[in-house]
Amino acid sequence: MRTYSLYTFLLFFCLYQNSSAQIAVGGIVPEPSLELVLQAPVSKLDSWSILKDKWVFVEFWATWCAPCIAKIPDLNALQKELINENIQFISISPEKPEKVKRFLERKSISGWVGVDTDNSFISDMKVSKYPTTILISPDGKVHSIIDQNDLKKESLLLTIRNEIKSFSVKENSNELTVDNKTKGSMSMGGGTKGSNTNELTDYYVKIEKSDAQGGFVMGSQGKLKSNSMSLPDLIAIAYGTSKFYVLGKEDILKTRYSVDISLPQDQNIFQQMLQSSLGKQLNIIVTKENRSVPAYVLSSPNGITKNLYKSDINTKRKVSAAEGVIAVSSSGFDGFFITQLENLLNAKIINKTNLNDKYDYNLYWDKDHPKSIIDALKEQLGLEIEAINTDAEVLIVSSSN
């Protein structure tokens, strides 16, 4: 099964692959090696001496990391609250200086902004994912690794203030340490349990009703696992179509399922076996019809705009999404981007942009008003969306009982 066919059902979690374990709470922080520091009294940082006796709040982030970008307002607010305290905020990116500077022209980050293009300090800190937030105490040790969901909590602000006021060296302090497994996060790799051999006995499809309304999804070739998927998502995977072309009675389509699938990697065989399993296990019948259905056409009447940049050919593709943010590095307007638009607008998107290169771009909209992305596309990327009706082959799902 081709990997891109799973994009519709994946929540993207920013990952930075590093085989080493993350630096531990209580561990000694290595000297920094930042070749450039913006918004600071120094142009580079290769020693902690300038921050001697200070607390340091370090945020590891990237312009392609949507969860990082979504938390910037919370970080800025936290820094504002602590502006008179003995603490310095530093946001560190692994990207090239020009990309970071370009980002800061559109999105403000309070505090210092460090650039670690060669990943030397990031590697020394054993950062395994973005975003990662670390609080360093004046004795040069990792005081705590902070959960992103705690950034807005009054308890975190009070705890930091109290620690600053009553600092004393504490062996193996765990006061702020939390589990960094973010709700709804996923890993693009891994797959599900089961052997990679081609024996038929290693293949299975396990589907059960689930009360969960959202959660993780993991996918790789021939494998899919989730604690909560809708029936249209499952049907779309099995038949290689869009979930917006899956129709039926609401009581059938609204049911959610936990899924654990391990099938052959060949796309045709995968789909045939999954179609058969869905029919038998869920007691459903799927028929095909031609109908006129609502859709949107995405176009680019003016070509490349000022906020759309062609990528360096050597840059690896990185994409992610969070509430109100899509962040992309070295990617086109492909399955990932189209999927995000479809989920927000709840309709099929027909891509007619004719933009076939790889680009760097960020898109922001009001997360409380999903359709505000229509105006955001035009204003920020020069893309236009038009509502139409189109003839399409749809799948009608009904009960076999």
Side-chain angles (χ1 to χ4, degrees):
M1 184 176 184
R2 288 173 291 182
T3 305
Y4 72 75
S5 63
L6 293 176
Y7 280 157
T8 304
F9 320 104
L10 298 180
L11 289 171
F12 281 78
F13 184 54
C14 295
L15 291 177
Y16 170 80
Q17 297 301 325
N18 189 321
S19 58
S20 303
Q22 184 168 276
I23 191 168
V25 171
I28 299 295
V29 177
E31 291 288 352
S33 51
L34 306 180
E35 59 263 41
L36 177 67
V37 183
L38 304 170
Q39 305 173 174
V42 294
S43 60
K44 65 178 182 178
L45 191 66
D46 53 16
S47 168
W48 291 119
S49 59
I50 192 174
L51 295 171
K52 184 180 179 181
D53 298 327
K54 273 184 172 286
W55 289 79
V56 182
F57 193 104
V58 181
E59 172 84 350
F60 293 98
W61 72 290
T63 66
W64 44 260
C65 173
C68 304
I69 297 168
K71 291 298 180 182
I72 287 175
D74 295 340
L75 282 169
N76 289 346
L78 182 62
Q79 175 166 344
K80 185 176 180 180
E81 290 289 339
L82 295 169
I83 194 168
N84 295 320
E85 304 289 354
N86 183 37
I87 187 169
Q88 179 61 54
F89 282 68
I90 307 178
S91 298
I92 298 175
S93 168
E95 298 164 286
K96 292 182 178 180
E98 56 267 27
K99 185 175 285 190
V100 175
K101 290 178 181 178
R102 196 165 64 206
F103 177 90
L104 292 174
E105 291 176 358
R106 294 185 62 200
K107 199 81 170 176
S108 174
I109 296 179
S110 301
W112 299 2
V113 179
V115 175
D116 187 21
T117 304
D118 64 1
N119 281 278
S120 53
F121 181 58
I122 291 170
S123 178
D124 289 343
M125 290 295 290
K126 300 179 181 178
V127 174
S128 59
K129 68 180 180 64
Y130 293 116
T132 289
T133 306
I134 295 176
L135 183 62
I136 302 172
S137 56
D139 62 353
K141 295 181 179 180
V142 175
H143 176 275
S144 50
I145 300 169
I146 298 172
D147 190 304
Q148 295 293 303
N149 293 323
D150 289 340
L151 292 177
K152 294 178 70 172
K153 292 182 179 179
E154 183 71 18
S155 58
L156 174 62
L157 176 63
L158 293 174
T159 301
I160 292 177
R161 279 180 169 157
N162 289 336
E163 287 297 317
I164 291 173
K165 290 178 181 178
S166 60
F167 173 70
S168 62
V169 177
K170 301 176 183 179
E171 293 293 325
N172 300 319
S173 173
N174 285 315
E175 290 182 11
L176 285 179
T177 302
V178 295
D179 185 345
N180 270 322
K181 294 180 180 178
T182 307
K183 182 179 179 182
S185 67
M186 57 77 60
S187 168
M188 282 293 292
T192 60
K193 65 183 180 181
S195 170
N196 287 326
T197 67
N198 290 318
E199 295 180 13
L200 186 60
T201 54
D202 292 322
Y203 300 139
Y204 54 83
V205 176
K206 300 176 182 178
I207 302 175
E208 297 179 353
K209 286 186 178 181
S210 171
D211 293 329
Q213 292 302 306
F216 71 85
V217 182
M218 297 194 299
S220 63
Q221 289 189 337
K223 298 180 184 294
L224 181 65
K225 189 172 184 177
S226 173
N227 66 338
S228 179
M229 289 189 73
S230 70
L231 182 57
D233 284 341
L234 281 170
I235 296 293
I237 292 177
Y239 288 84
T241 187
S242 166
K243 68 178 181 180
F244 300 105
Y245 290 166
V246 179
L247 309 177
K249 292 184 177 180
E250 183 180 356
D251 61 336
I252 296 177
L253 298 184
K254 71 179 182 181
T255 307
R256 303 190 70 85
Y257 299 91
S258 63
V259 178
D260 189 357
I261 297 170
S262 179
L263 292 174
Q265 295 183 14
D266 179 271
Q267 183 179 15
N268 291 330
I269 298 175
F270 179 100
Q271 290 180 341
Q272 290 170 11
M273 293 178 69
L274 183 54
Q275 290 172 21
S276 176
S277 295
L278 291 176
K280 293 176 181 177
Q281 294 190 40
L282 305 183
N283 297 314
I284 59 173
I285 298 173
V286 178
T287 57
K288 298 179 180 180
E289 290 185 13
N290 289 318
R291 288 192 182 183
S292 178
V293 294
Y296 288 95
V297 173
L298 180 69
S299 63
S300 178
N302 300 314
I304 298 176
T305 62
K306 65 177 182 179
N307 293 323
L308 195 60
Y309 305 92
K310 283 191 177 181
S311 305
D312 185 317
I313 59 174
N314 297 317
T315 303
K316 291 183 178 179
R317 179 182 187 271
K318 298 183 180 72
V319 294
S320 61
E323 289 187 335
V325 184
I326 293 175
V328 171
S329 176
S330 192
S331 183
F333 297 100
D334 57 6
F336 168 77
F337 181 78
I338 297 300
T339 294
Q340 304 308 311
L341 297 186
E342 289 180 336
N343 289 336
L344 286 164
L345 299 175
N346 199 33
K348 176 69 177 176
I349 303 292
I350 300 171
N351 185 1
K352 292 188 177 181
T353 60
N354 294 318
L355 297 174
N356 300 316
D357 292 317
K358 304 298 183 184
Y359 304 97
D360 300 332
Y361 58 92
N362 296 89
L363 181 64
Y364 311 107
W365 68 94
D366 183 347
K367 62 183 178 64
D368 295 322
H369 299 90
K371 288 197 173 182
S372 66
I373 198 168
I374 295 176
D375 291 333
L377 284 165
K378 185 174 183 178
E379 294 169 2
Q380 298 173 37
L381 300 180
L383 302 180
E384 294 188 0
I385 277 192
E386 178 186 2
I388 64 166
N389 284 312
T390 184
D391 293 330
E393 183 180 77
V394 299
L395 302 176
I396 310 298
V397 184
S398 58
S399 172
S400 61
N401 293 331

